[in-house]
Amino acid sequence: MITIKRYAAIDVGSNAMRLLISNIVEQDGKEPQFNKSSLVRVPIRLGQDVFTVGEISEENISRMVDAMKAFQLLMKIHKVEHYKACATSAMREAENNSEIVELIEKESGIHIDIIDGRKEATIIASSDLKEYISTDKTYLYVDVGGGSTEFSLFDNGKIVASKSFKNGTVRMLHNMVNEVVWNEIEKWIKAKVEPYDSITMIGSGGNINKLFKMTGKLQDKPLSFLNLNAMYTMLNNMTYEQRIAELALNPDRADVIIPATKIYLNAMKWSGARQLYVPKIGLSDGIVKAMYYGKL
């Protein structure tokens, strides 16, 4: 006898908004299975507004409202029982965030929680991360977003350090990440990994997932620093148009993929990690699991 529950997660990011609908399969005596039913991604680059002028534009507010209405309809069609909507860096910093939250709830019925970087990292850690972490190894988990990057250090299967930095792909595109921020990240990583003999890195986010797919590697195989550096060089030597036409990258992916790769490369260099694993997990997956287990 099995029971199927349907949960949904909405991730309002700095580069895109996502709706994940999951089927949770329950069986007596077995761990529940979390199966992805649907994933919808809408490329509304909120960070471009917020990081340059401080607030989200009227045009993008209208697009957000339309997207949320569509998400609400999709959840209704899928018969979703529970959902949670979380907003990250761009909405955190938008001067008009409270009025946007109020408008979206009025127009779509969806309430958005604006979460801080620490909570974001904790939620992501609630995802399927434990399946990739051995208790006899130390891992640096890196989640690169449009407005911020979350770093978490795992040892003995538990988080021992976690920090969010205002260094994301959309910020980098607009030259809004200075050397001070890079130095802070380098200093934090080196200080946190110093007690450990060996570090393995885990990466999440749309850009590293796309990079990994482009390599053609099997899901359980890691990328090396040389693999990643070669990809970075190749992408950097192509024009924006070439990355779209020849690599079939979406227009809103073709520009941010380069700064994202730079963040992962630096994290590998500063941590001394030689291998980077790329499980298909992210904030949306973490929201679903955190809801199911009563942590959100």
Side-chain angles (χ1 to χ4, degrees), residues 24-55:
I24 304 171
V25 181
E26 298 176 329
Q27 288 180 274
D28 291 339
K30 292 185 178 182
E31 287 288 314
Q33 292 180 7
F34 293 79
N35 301 326
K36 188 176 294 183
S37 174
S38 177
L39 177 64
V40 180
R41 180 179 182 274
V42 184
I44 302 176
R45 192 166 281 182
L46 303 179
Q48 191 160 322
D49 289 341
V50 177
F51 307 142
T52 54
V53 298
E55 64 179 24

PDB file of all heavy atoms in Angstrom, residues 24-55:
ATOM      1  N   ILE A  24       5.475  12.836  -3.390  1.00  0.00           N
ATOM      2  CA  ILE A  24       6.137  12.173  -2.263  1.00  0.00           C
ATOM      3  C   ILE A  24       5.447  10.831  -2.053  1.00  0.00           C
ATOM      4  O   ILE A  24       4.265  10.768  -1.694  1.00  0.00           O
ATOM      5  CB  ILE A  24       6.072  13.033  -0.993  1.00  0.00           C
ATOM      6  CG1 ILE A  24       6.671  14.415  -1.272  1.00  0.00           C
ATOM      7  CG2 ILE A  24       6.811  12.342   0.151  1.00  0.00           C
ATOM      8  CD1 ILE A  24       6.467  15.412  -0.157  1.00  0.00           C
ATOM      9  N   VAL A  25       6.189   9.747  -2.302  1.00  0.00           N
ATOM     10  CA  VAL A  25       5.628   8.392  -2.231  1.00  0.00           C
ATOM     11  C   VAL A  25       5.967   7.777  -0.878  1.00  0.00           C
ATOM     12  O   VAL A  25       7.143   7.616  -0.530  1.00  0.00           O
ATOM     13  CB  VAL A  25       6.185   7.507  -3.368  1.00  0.00           C
ATOM     14  CG1 VAL A  25       5.566   6.110  -3.295  1.00  0.00           C
ATOM     15  CG2 VAL A  25       5.924   8.144  -4.726  1.00  0.00           C
ATOM     16  N   GLU A  26       4.941   7.468  -0.114  1.00  0.00           N
ATOM     17  CA  GLU A  26       5.116   6.871   1.210  1.00  0.00           C
ATOM     18  C   GLU A  26       4.740   5.394   1.182  1.00  0.00           C
ATOM     19  O   GLU A  26       3.708   5.021   0.611  1.00  0.00           O
ATOM     20  CB  GLU A  26       4.227   7.592   2.235  1.00  0.00           C
ATOM     21  CG  GLU A  26       4.567   9.060   2.421  1.00  0.00           C
ATOM     22  CD  GLU A  26       3.596   9.759   3.373  1.00  0.00           C
ATOM     23  OE1 GLU A  26       2.402   9.343   3.416  1.00  0.00           O
ATOM     24  OE2 GLU A  26       4.012  10.687   4.061  1.00  0.00           O
ATOM     25  N   GLN A  27       5.605   4.563   1.762  1.00  0.00           N
ATOM     26  CA  GLN A  27       5.351   3.130   1.910  1.00  0.00           C
ATOM     27  C   GLN A  27       5.720   2.710   3.318  1.00  0.00           C
ATOM     28  O   GLN A  27       6.717   3.180   3.875  1.00  0.00           O
ATOM     29  CB  GLN A  27       6.196   2.322   0.915  1.00  0.00           C
ATOM     30  CG  GLN A  27       5.745   2.425  -0.526  1.00  0.00           C
ATOM     31  CD  GLN A  27       6.643   1.599  -1.434  1.00  0.00           C
ATOM     32  OE1 GLN A  27       7.681   2.065  -1.886  1.00  0.00           O
ATOM     33  NE2 GLN A  27       6.241   0.363  -1.695  1.00  0.00           N
ATOM     34  N   ASP A  28       4.927   1.825   3.896  1.00  0.00           N
ATOM     35  CA  ASP A  28       5.209   1.347   5.253  1.00  0.00           C
ATOM     36  C   ASP A  28       6.593   0.730   5.330  1.00  0.00           C
ATOM     37  O   ASP A  28       6.960  -0.115   4.497  1.00  0.00           O
ATOM     38  CB  ASP A  28       4.160   0.313   5.683  1.00  0.00           C
ATOM     39  CG  ASP A  28       2.786   0.944   5.900  1.00  0.00           C
ATOM     40  OD1 ASP A  28       2.734   2.175   6.115  1.00  0.00           O
ATOM     41  OD2 ASP A  28       1.784   0.211   5.836  1.00  0.00           O
ATOM     42  N   GLY A  29       7.350   1.146   6.317  1.00  0.00           N
ATOM     43  CA  GLY A  29       8.665   0.552   6.555  1.00  0.00           C
ATOM     44  C   GLY A  29       9.756   1.034   5.626  1.00  0.00           C
ATOM     45  O   GLY A  29      10.878   0.521   5.664  1.00  0.00           O
ATOM     46  N   LYS A  30       9.455   2.019   4.776  1.00  0.00           N
ATOM     47  CA  LYS A  30      10.462   2.517   3.848  1.00  0.00           C
ATOM     48  C   LYS A  30      10.573   4.036   3.927  1.00  0.00           C
ATOM     49  O   LYS A  30       9.630   4.726   4.328  1.00  0.00           O
ATOM     50  CB  LYS A  30      10.105   2.119   2.404  1.00  0.00           C
ATOM     51  CG  LYS A  30      10.202   0.634   2.129  1.00  0.00           C
ATOM     52  CD  LYS A  30       9.962   0.352   0.642  1.00  0.00           C
ATOM     53  CE  LYS A  30      10.099  -1.133   0.335  1.00  0.00           C
ATOM     54  NZ  LYS A  30       9.901  -1.409  -1.121  1.00  0.00           N
ATOM     55  N   GLU A  31      11.755   4.535   3.544  1.00  0.00           N
ATOM     56  CA  GLU A  31      11.946   5.976   3.486  1.00  0.00           C
ATOM     57  C   GLU A  31      11.071   6.553   2.371  1.00  0.00           C
ATOM     58  O   GLU A  31      10.915   5.933   1.318  1.00  0.00           O
ATOM     59  CB  GLU A  31      13.414   6.300   3.189  1.00  0.00           C
ATOM     60  CG  GLU A  31      14.370   6.058   4.347  1.00  0.00           C
ATOM     61  CD  GLU A  31      14.193   7.089   5.451  1.00  0.00           C
ATOM     62  OE1 GLU A  31      14.115   8.292   5.139  1.00  0.00           O
ATOM     63  OE2 GLU A  31      14.112   6.674   6.622  1.00  0.00           O
ATOM     64  N   PRO A  32      10.492   7.733   2.576  1.00  0.00           N
ATOM     65  CA  PRO A  32       9.676   8.326   1.508  1.00  0.00           C
ATOM     66  C   PRO A  32      10.522   8.665   0.277  1.00  0.00           C
ATOM     67  O   PRO A  32      11.695   9.021   0.398  1.00  0.00           O
ATOM     68  CB  PRO A  32       9.120   9.595   2.154  1.00  0.00           C
ATOM     69  CG  PRO A  32      10.048   9.903   3.278  1.00  0.00           C
ATOM     70  CD  PRO A  32      10.546   8.589   3.773  1.00  0.00           C
ATOM     71  N   GLN A  33       9.929   8.543  -0.882  1.00  0.00           N
ATOM     72  CA  GLN A  33      10.605   8.895  -2.133  1.00  0.00           C
ATOM     73  C   GLN A  33      10.103  10.251  -2.611  1.00  0.00           C
ATOM     74  O   GLN A  33       8.901  10.516  -2.606  1.00  0.00           O
ATOM     75  CB  GLN A  33      10.307   7.854  -3.217  1.00  0.00           C
ATOM     76  CG  GLN A  33      10.912   6.490  -2.968  1.00  0.00           C
ATOM     77  CD  GLN A  33      10.570   5.523  -4.095  1.00  0.00           C
ATOM     78  OE1 GLN A  33      10.001   5.919  -5.113  1.00  0.00           O
ATOM     79  NE2 GLN A  33      10.908   4.261  -3.919  1.00  0.00           N
ATOM     80  N   PHE A  34      11.030  11.101  -3.032  1.00  0.00           N
ATOM     81  CA  PHE A  34      10.679  12.423  -3.537  1.00  0.00           C
ATOM     82  C   PHE A  34      10.923  12.425  -5.044  1.00  0.00           C
ATOM     83  O   PHE A  34      12.072  12.432  -5.495  1.00  0.00           O
ATOM     84  CB  PHE A  34      11.516  13.493  -2.845  1.00  0.00           C
ATOM     85  CG  PHE A  34      11.214  13.641  -1.375  1.00  0.00           C
ATOM     86  CD1 PHE A  34      11.740  12.750  -0.445  1.00  0.00           C
ATOM     87  CD2 PHE A  34      10.393  14.665  -0.924  1.00  0.00           C
ATOM     88  CE1 PHE A  34      11.460  12.876   0.911  1.00  0.00           C
ATOM     89  CE2 PHE A  34      10.097  14.804   0.434  1.00  0.00           C
ATOM     90  CZ  PHE A  34      10.633  13.903   1.350  1.00  0.00           C
ATOM     91  N   ASN A  35       9.839  12.391  -5.800  1.00  0.00           N
ATOM     92  CA  ASN A  35       9.940  12.321  -7.257  1.00  0.00           C
ATOM     93  C   ASN A  35       9.477  13.621  -7.900  1.00  0.00           C
ATOM     94  O   ASN A  35       8.368  14.089  -7.641  1.00  0.00           O
ATOM     95  CB  ASN A  35       9.097  11.156  -7.792  1.00  0.00           C
ATOM     96  CG  ASN A  35       9.523   9.820  -7.212  1.00  0.00           C
ATOM     97  OD1 ASN A  35      10.697   9.596  -6.943  1.00  0.00           O
ATOM     98  ND2 ASN A  35       8.567   8.928  -7.011  1.00  0.00           N
ATOM     99  N   LYS A  36      10.344  14.187  -8.734  1.00  0.00           N
ATOM    100  CA  LYS A  36      10.016  15.441  -9.404  1.00  0.00           C
ATOM    101  C   LYS A  36       8.904  15.200 -10.423  1.00  0.00           C
ATOM    102  O   LYS A  36       9.044  14.388 -11.330  1.00  0.00           O
ATOM    103  CB  LYS A  36      11.262  15.987 -10.102  1.00  0.00           C
ATOM    104  CG  LYS A  36      11.113  17.385 -10.668  1.00  0.00           C
ATOM    105  CD  LYS A  36      12.446  17.864 -11.260  1.00  0.00           C
ATOM    106  CE  LYS A  36      13.496  18.026 -10.191  1.00  0.00           C
ATOM    107  NZ  LYS A  36      14.762  18.556 -10.749  1.00  0.00           N
ATOM    108  N   SER A  37       7.799  15.925 -10.275  1.00  0.00           N
ATOM    109  CA  SER A  37       6.677  15.797 -11.200  1.00  0.00           C
ATOM    110  C   SER A  37       6.736  16.865 -12.287  1.00  0.00           C
ATOM    111  O   SER A  37       6.483  16.591 -13.453  1.00  0.00           O
ATOM    112  CB  SER A  37       5.351  15.910 -10.438  1.00  0.00           C
ATOM    113  OG  SER A  37       4.262  15.936 -11.331  1.00  0.00           O
ATOM    114  N   SER A  38       7.086  18.085 -11.888  1.00  0.00           N
ATOM    115  CA  SER A  38       7.130  19.188 -12.846  1.00  0.00           C
ATOM    116  C   SER A  38       8.076  20.273 -12.340  1.00  0.00           C
ATOM    117  O   SER A  38       8.146  20.536 -11.134  1.00  0.00           O
ATOM    118  CB  SER A  38       5.723  19.770 -13.034  1.00  0.00           C
ATOM    119  OG  SER A  38       5.747  20.885 -13.899  1.00  0.00           O
ATOM    120  N   LEU A  39       8.801  20.880 -13.268  1.00  0.00           N
ATOM    121  CA  LEU A  39       9.669  22.011 -12.928  1.00  0.00           C
ATOM    122  C   LEU A  39       9.493  23.080 -13.994  1.00  0.00           C
ATOM    123  O   LEU A  39       9.726  22.839 -15.175  1.00  0.00           O
ATOM    124  CB  LEU A  39      11.138  21.584 -12.848  1.00  0.00           C
ATOM    125  CG  LEU A  39      12.143  22.708 -12.559  1.00  0.00           C
ATOM    126  CD1 LEU A  39      11.892  23.316 -11.179  1.00  0.00           C
ATOM    127  CD2 LEU A  39      13.581  22.197 -12.645  1.00  0.00           C
ATOM    128  N   VAL A  40       9.074  24.256 -13.569  1.00  0.00           N
ATOM    129  CA  VAL A  40       8.874  25.386 -14.483  1.00  0.00           C
ATOM    130  C   VAL A  40       9.811  26.507 -14.070  1.00  0.00           C
ATOM    131  O   VAL A  40       9.848  26.903 -12.899  1.00  0.00           O
ATOM    132  CB  VAL A  40       7.413  25.880 -14.457  1.00  0.00           C
ATOM    133  CG1 VAL A  40       7.232  27.057 -15.422  1.00  0.00           C
ATOM    134  CG2 VAL A  40       6.454  24.753 -14.806  1.00  0.00           C
ATOM    135  N   ARG A  41      10.559  27.008 -15.041  1.00  0.00           N
ATOM    136  CA  ARG A  41      11.508  28.085 -14.772  1.00  0.00           C
ATOM    137  C   ARG A  41      11.158  29.301 -15.620  1.00  0.00           C
ATOM    138  O   ARG A  41      10.988  29.192 -16.825  1.00  0.00           O
ATOM    139  CB  ARG A  41      12.938  27.622 -15.107  1.00  0.00           C
ATOM    140  CG  ARG A  41      14.019  28.669 -14.874  1.00  0.00           C
ATOM    141  CD  ARG A  41      15.394  28.090 -15.228  1.00  0.00           C
ATOM    142  NE  ARG A  41      16.455  29.040 -14.986  1.00  0.00           N
ATOM    143  CZ  ARG A  41      16.850  29.970 -15.853  1.00  0.00           C
ATOM    144  NH1 ARG A  41      16.243  30.076 -17.030  1.00  0.00           N
ATOM    145  NH2 ARG A  41      17.831  30.797 -15.562  1.00  0.00           N
ATOM    146  N   VAL A  42      11.032  30.459 -14.965  1.00  0.00           N
ATOM    147  CA  VAL A  42      10.688  31.701 -15.661  1.00  0.00           C
ATOM    148  C   VAL A  42      11.839  32.693 -15.488  1.00  0.00           C
ATOM    149  O   VAL A  42      12.145  33.085 -14.359  1.00  0.00           O
ATOM    150  CB  VAL A  42       9.373  32.308 -15.106  1.00  0.00           C
ATOM    151  CG1 VAL A  42       8.981  33.542 -15.908  1.00  0.00           C
ATOM    152  CG2 VAL A  42       8.255  31.281 -15.117  1.00  0.00           C
ATOM    153  N   PRO A  43      12.486  33.100 -16.582  1.00  0.00           N
ATOM    154  CA  PRO A  43      13.680  33.957 -16.474  1.00  0.00           C
ATOM    155  C   PRO A  43      13.362  35.437 -16.243  1.00  0.00           C
ATOM    156  O   PRO A  43      13.470  36.271 -17.140  1.00  0.00           O
ATOM    157  CB  PRO A  43      14.374  33.743 -17.824  1.00  0.00           C
ATOM    158  CG  PRO A  43      13.256  33.476 -18.771  1.00  0.00           C
ATOM    159  CD  PRO A  43      12.214  32.722 -17.988  1.00  0.00           C
ATOM    160  N   ILE A  44      12.942  35.766 -15.021  1.00  0.00           N
ATOM    161  CA  ILE A  44      12.712  37.169 -14.659  1.00  0.00           C
ATOM    162  C   ILE A  44      13.911  37.620 -13.831  1.00  0.00           C
ATOM    163  O   ILE A  44      14.063  37.222 -12.677  1.00  0.00           O
ATOM    164  CB  ILE A  44      11.407  37.339 -13.860  1.00  0.00           C
ATOM    165  CG1 ILE A  44      10.220  36.807 -14.664  1.00  0.00           C
ATOM    166  CG2 ILE A  44      11.191  38.814 -13.498  1.00  0.00           C
ATOM    167  CD1 ILE A  44       8.903  36.838 -13.924  1.00  0.00           C
ATOM    168  N   ARG A  45      14.767  38.420 -14.405  1.00  0.00           N
ATOM    169  CA  ARG A  45      16.031  38.783 -13.752  1.00  0.00           C
ATOM    170  C   ARG A  45      15.820  39.944 -12.774  1.00  0.00           C
ATOM    171  O   ARG A  45      16.125  41.101 -13.054  1.00  0.00           O
ATOM    172  CB  ARG A  45      17.081  39.119 -14.811  1.00  0.00           C
ATOM    173  CG  ARG A  45      18.474  39.212 -14.252  1.00  0.00           C
ATOM    174  CD  ARG A  45      19.528  39.194 -15.343  1.00  0.00           C
ATOM    175  NE  ARG A  45      19.776  37.864 -15.840  1.00  0.00           N
ATOM    176  CZ  ARG A  45      20.682  37.584 -16.778  1.00  0.00           C
ATOM    177  NH1 ARG A  45      21.399  38.541 -17.310  1.00  0.00           N
ATOM    178  NH2 ARG A  45      20.866  36.334 -17.172  1.00  0.00           N
ATOM    179  N   LEU A  46      15.321  39.606 -11.596  1.00  0.00           N
ATOM    180  CA  LEU A  46      15.038  40.617 -10.577  1.00  0.00           C
ATOM    181  C   LEU A  46      16.306  41.319 -10.109  1.00  0.00           C
ATOM    182  O   LEU A  46      16.298  42.511  -9.798  1.00  0.00           O
ATOM    183  CB  LEU A  46      14.332  39.969  -9.378  1.00  0.00           C
ATOM    184  CG  LEU A  46      13.028  39.217  -9.662  1.00  0.00           C
ATOM    185  CD1 LEU A  46      12.480  38.614  -8.383  1.00  0.00           C
ATOM    186  CD2 LEU A  46      12.003  40.135 -10.307  1.00  0.00           C
ATOM    187  N   GLY A  47      17.403  40.560 -10.061  1.00  0.00           N
ATOM    188  CA  GLY A  47      18.661  41.124  -9.584  1.00  0.00           C
ATOM    189  C   GLY A  47      19.159  42.280 -10.421  1.00  0.00           C
ATOM    190  O   GLY A  47      19.819  43.194  -9.912  1.00  0.00           O
ATOM    191  N   GLN A  48      18.851  42.251 -11.700  1.00  0.00           N
ATOM    192  CA  GLN A  48      19.300  43.327 -12.585  1.00  0.00           C
ATOM    193  C   GLN A  48      18.693  44.662 -12.156  1.00  0.00           C
ATOM    194  O   GLN A  48      19.339  45.704 -12.228  1.00  0.00           O
ATOM    195  CB  GLN A  48      18.924  43.010 -14.030  1.00  0.00           C
ATOM    196  CG  GLN A  48      19.575  43.932 -15.047  1.00  0.00           C
ATOM    197  CD  GLN A  48      19.586  43.319 -16.430  1.00  0.00           C
ATOM    198  OE1 GLN A  48      19.793  42.127 -16.594  1.00  0.00           O
ATOM    199  NE2 GLN A  48      19.341  44.144 -17.431  1.00  0.00           N
ATOM    200  N   ASP A  49      17.432  44.629 -11.706  1.00  0.00           N
ATOM    201  CA  ASP A  49      16.796  45.832 -11.169  1.00  0.00           C
ATOM    202  C   ASP A  49      17.407  46.226  -9.828  1.00  0.00           C
ATOM    203  O   ASP A  49      17.879  47.345  -9.637  1.00  0.00           O
ATOM    204  CB  ASP A  49      15.292  45.596 -10.952  1.00  0.00           C
ATOM    205  CG  ASP A  49      14.508  45.488 -12.247  1.00  0.00           C
ATOM    206  OD1 ASP A  49      15.007  45.925 -13.292  1.00  0.00           O
ATOM    207  OD2 ASP A  49      13.390  44.951 -12.193  1.00  0.00           O
ATOM    208  N   VAL A  50      17.385  45.279  -8.910  1.00  0.00           N
ATOM    209  CA  VAL A  50      17.721  45.573  -7.515  1.00  0.00           C
ATOM    210  C   VAL A  50      19.169  45.995  -7.339  1.00  0.00           C
ATOM    211  O   VAL A  50      19.465  46.972  -6.632  1.00  0.00           O
ATOM    212  CB  VAL A  50      17.409  44.347  -6.618  1.00  0.00           C
ATOM    213  CG1 VAL A  50      17.817  44.621  -5.172  1.00  0.00           C
ATOM    214  CG2 VAL A  50      15.930  44.003  -6.690  1.00  0.00           C
ATOM    215  N   PHE A  51      20.090  45.275  -7.982  1.00  0.00           N
ATOM    216  CA  PHE A  51      21.499  45.555  -7.760  1.00  0.00           C
ATOM    217  C   PHE A  51      21.987  46.814  -8.474  1.00  0.00           C
ATOM    218  O   PHE A  51      23.087  47.287  -8.220  1.00  0.00           O
ATOM    219  CB  PHE A  51      22.364  44.348  -8.177  1.00  0.00           C
ATOM    220  CG  PHE A  51      21.925  43.052  -7.538  1.00  0.00           C
ATOM    221  CD1 PHE A  51      21.957  41.853  -8.245  1.00  0.00           C
ATOM    222  CD2 PHE A  51      21.447  43.016  -6.239  1.00  0.00           C
ATOM    223  CE1 PHE A  51      21.538  40.653  -7.670  1.00  0.00           C
ATOM    224  CE2 PHE A  51      21.018  41.831  -5.652  1.00  0.00           C
ATOM    225  CZ  PHE A  51      21.061  40.651  -6.373  1.00  0.00           C
ATOM    226  N   THR A  52      21.146  47.367  -9.381  1.00  0.00           N
ATOM    227  CA  THR A  52      21.543  48.579 -10.100  1.00  0.00           C
ATOM    228  C   THR A  52      20.776  49.824  -9.627  1.00  0.00           C
ATOM    229  O   THR A  52      21.369  50.894  -9.496  1.00  0.00           O
ATOM    230  CB  THR A  52      21.347  48.416 -11.619  1.00  0.00           C
ATOM    231  OG1 THR A  52      19.997  48.023 -11.891  1.00  0.00           O
ATOM    232  CG2 THR A  52      22.302  47.364 -12.176  1.00  0.00           C
ATOM    233  N   VAL A  53      19.464  49.664  -9.388  1.00  0.00           N
ATOM    234  CA  VAL A  53      18.677  50.839  -8.974  1.00  0.00           C
ATOM    235  C   VAL A  53      18.038  50.697  -7.591  1.00  0.00           C
ATOM    236  O   VAL A  53      17.411  51.630  -7.094  1.00  0.00           O
ATOM    237  CB  VAL A  53      17.583  51.184 -10.019  1.00  0.00           C
ATOM    238  CG1 VAL A  53      18.211  51.539 -11.340  1.00  0.00           C
ATOM    239  CG2 VAL A  53      16.588  50.039 -10.190  1.00  0.00           C
ATOM    240  N   GLY A  54      18.159  49.524  -6.985  1.00  0.00           N
ATOM    241  CA  GLY A  54      17.696  49.361  -5.605  1.00  0.00           C
ATOM    242  C   GLY A  54      16.294  48.823  -5.420  1.00  0.00           C
ATOM    243  O   GLY A  54      15.904  48.470  -4.307  1.00  0.00           O
ATOM    244  N   GLU A  55      15.524  48.762  -6.500  1.00  0.00           N
ATOM    245  CA  GLU A  55      14.174  48.226  -6.380  1.00  0.00           C
ATOM    246  C   GLU A  55      13.749  47.527  -7.664  1.00  0.00           C
ATOM    247  O   GLU A  55      14.380  47.685  -8.711  1.00  0.00           O
ATOM    248  CB  GLU A  55      13.182  49.332  -6.028  1.00  0.00           C
ATOM    249  CG  GLU A  55      13.035  50.399  -7.087  1.00  0.00           C
ATOM    250  CD  GLU A  55      12.005  51.465  -6.695  1.00  0.00           C
ATOM    251  OE1 GLU A  55      11.754  51.643  -5.492  1.00  0.00           O
ATOM    252  OE2 GLU A  55      11.452  52.090  -7.608  1.00  0.00           O
TER     253      GLU A  55
END
